[in-house]
Amino acid sequence: MRLNIPYTDHRELEEIAKVLQTGYFTQGPKVVEFEKMLAAYVGARYAFATSSCTTALHLALAAWGVGPGDEVLVADFTFPATANVVVQLGAVPVMVDICLDTFTMDPADLERRITPRSKVILPVHAFGCSADMDPILEIAKRHNLAVLEDAACAIGTTYKGRFCGAMGTMGAYSFHPRKVITTGEGGMITTDDSDLAERIQLLRSHGGKRTGYWFEYEEAGYNYRLSDILGAMGVAQMEKLDWLIERKRALAGELRQRMAHIPGVQLPVEPAWGGHIYQSFVTLLDDSLDRDRMVADLRAMDIESTLGTYAMHDQPIFQRLFGYRSGDLPNSHRAFRQSLTLPLYPQMEERDLDQLAAGLAQVVAAQRSKGRKNEDLS
Ligand SMILES: *Cc1c(COP(=O)(O)O)cnc(C)c1O
């Protein structure tokens, strides 16, 4: 059983075929259509497709003017791209600890880490669950900071009814195959700010501004565009988004019921602010359970699983550059060690859910009985 299988049907092929027939494959009308669909869906004024969420995050920070001397407050428990792009711009990522129920940025820890050099807050909507945005936005306002939402895993996630990626200054989405909808590789930036929108557009395509037939190059920009072939795939995927979310939420509910009795396993928490879309079904294990061994044991039963994600402060790159030591951010450190992502994808059937729950119960029971034996011996 795989961790995730992207969902596609004839619509992706139909849309891609239209692009192939035009003979124009780079950024074009399908990308524009995809951008309009996403902007309308989340309620943002502007949306700009990019080659990935990593390039979206990099471009968003560059457009905001982040550079040497600046600090960006990053949720510590995330995929490394979130913090890498800060380093690439010559700025300093200041890691912020998380809350262990939602795996998202702890607003109290955020407040403590703000300095006169702080420029942007970068919360992550982890695994399809929104960060607690009201206090984060309030802190940003009080300190005059921009907010870039890493909504890589959270297209369609809501916070008190508002869409993730459309609450802060900017939002960044991913269409990697592990995410809710996919174009193979791809990303998107949203914003309501027209000046920022202009800068994002300029920097996305080499820094060139059109003047008559040609361009004038005002900045050392990037090529972070999305191909129209992938834009076409995005259009077909957007049509399925509501259905995919409904399906994932229903499957997560079924898994929750089947796993409620398994000791030592904290199931994903539905936050008070609602709107969890279960991009991934991420559990947190008691310290009595050996996560890495569970991944191996599940694999032996043909069930794929993996860690939740990474603690930035535990990675050699950030320890070397910024002096972090393992465990400095205790909640993120614990989540990095003890989180376990289980399979959840729309094609799952009843028997898959049964097999998964039974498999998990079995490996947990085996570890716990072994643990008790070890206690008896000591
Ligand atoms: C997947 C992911 C990214 C990177 O997305 P890509 O589209 O693969 O570049 C960034 N942040 C988070 C939280 C992610 O999960």
Side-chain angles (χ1 to χ4, degrees):
M1 189 184 312
R2 280 165 60 181
L3 206 51
N4 186 45
I5 302 174
Y7 189 91
T8 60
D9 58 23
H10 66 285
R11 286 288 300 128
E12 281 74 14
L13 283 175
E14 282 170 15
E15 288 297 322
I16 290 168
K18 287 183 203 166
V19 177
L20 297 185
Q21 280 152 17
T22 67
Y24 293 99
F25 296 170
T26 185
Q27 181 181 293
K30 279 295 163 191
V31 164
V32 172
E33 195 179 334
F34 182 26
E35 291 170 340
K36 284 190 171 152
M37 283 172 97
L38 188 141
Y41 189 94
V42 303
R45 269 179 78 189
Y46 306 98
F48 300 102
T50 56
S51 52
S52 70
C53 183
T54 304
T55 56
L57 291 164
H58 189 228
L59 180 53
L61 291 177
W64 190 251
V66 169
D70 295 331
E71 291 177 355
V72 177
L73 297 129
V74 177
D76 191 65
F77 188 52
T78 185
F79 189 71
T82 317
N84 282 346
V85 297
V86 177
V87 176
Q88 287 159 11
L89 287 163
V92 174
V94 173
M95 310 309 182
V96 180
D97 209 358
I98 57 161
C99 301
L100 275 177
D101 50 353
T102 60
F103 298 119
T104 61
M105 184 180 268
D106 175 4
D109 196 53
L110 168 65
E111 180 94 63
R112 284 194 287 274
R113 293 180 193 272
I114 287 172
T115 77
R117 286 187 293 279
S118 302
K119 194 149 185 182
V120 177
I121 303 174
L122 216 175
V124 177
H125 304 302
F127 316 125
C129 178
S130 177
D132 190 3
M133 289 305 289
D134 277 346
I136 292 171
L137 292 169
E138 187 274 322
I139 290 167
K141 197 169 175 188
R142 192 149 35 79
H143 294 277
N144 198 24
L145 305 175
V147 175
L148 169 58
E149 297 172 68
D150 184 337
C153 302
I155 182 166
T157 298
T158 54
Y159 174 81
K160 302 181 185 176
R162 288 173 283 162
F163 279 98
C164 284
M167 287 179 276
T169 320
M170 292 174 279
Y173 302 87
S174 173
F175 310 117
H176 179 278
R178 274 287 307 278
K179 313 304 161 95
V180 186
I181 59 170
T182 184
T183 58
E185 299 279 3
M188 192 90 73
I189 307 174
T190 48
T191 185
D192 287 341
D193 182 321
S194 56
D195 293 338
L196 209 46
E198 206 170 302
R199 280 198 60 73
I200 291 165
Q201 241 176 322
L202 188 78
L203 291 172
R204 177 175 60 170
S205 194
H206 305 293
K209 198 173 239 171
R210 191 179 272 283
T211 54
Y213 282 126
W214 320 117
F215 288 86
E216 226 167 48
Y217 289 91
E218 300 185 343
E219 301 275 351
Y222 311 103
N223 175 0
Y224 281 175
R225 296 182 306 251
L226 186 72
S227 157
D228 230 35
I229 299 168
L230 299 183
M233 187 158 171
V235 167
Q237 287 274 293
M238 277 302 292
E239 295 169 354
K240 301 180 170 71
L241 179 55
D242 279 333
W243 178 81
L244 286 169
I245 291 172
E246 222 174 281
R247 177 91 187 130
K248 291 197 102 168
R249 281 189 59 87
L251 289 167
E254 299 251 346
L255 276 181
R256 193 183 288 289
Q257 277 182 5
R258 284 167 169 79
M259 293 177 177
H261 66 281
I262 303 178
V265 179
Q266 176 194 294
L267 298 176
V269 171
E270 282 273 353
W273 47 85
H276 200 322
I277 62 159
Y278 297 95
Q279 175 263 331
S280 287
F281 193 86
V282 181
T283 62
L284 185 65
L285 307 176
D286 278 1
D287 287 331
S288 60
L289 295 170
D290 179 338
R291 193 267 317 270
D292 294 358
R293 232 184 61 209
M294 279 182 66
V295 171
D297 291 350
L298 286 167
R299 192 147 301 187
M301 304 169 87
D302 194 32
I303 296 171
E304 192 180 5
S305 66
T306 187
L307 81 181
T309 191
Y310 296 85
M312 294 302 95
H313 81 280
D314 276 325
Q315 303 310 311
I317 167 70
F318 303 111
Q319 297 194 343
R320 193 169 71 237
L321 290 181
F322 307 111
Y324 288 102
R325 280 165 314 166
S326 283
D328 280 352
L329 288 86
N331 287 351
S332 176
H333 181 71
R334 184 169 143 63
F336 174 47
R337 292 296 177 84
Q338 292 300 103
S339 58
L340 176 71
T341 306
L342 297 170
L344 183 73
Y345 51 91
Q347 301 87 337
M348 276 176 110
E349 294 171 11
E350 292 278 320
R351 61 161 190 269
D352 300 316
L353 300 168
D354 291 340
Q355 187 199 338
L356 173 55
L360 183 69
Q362 196 179 320
V363 298
V364 167
Q367 281 205 10
R368 287 170 69 90
S369 72
K370 202 171 241 170
R372 267 198 300 278
K373 253 181 255 152
N374 290 342
E375 273 165 37
D376 292 346
L377 289 173
S378 62

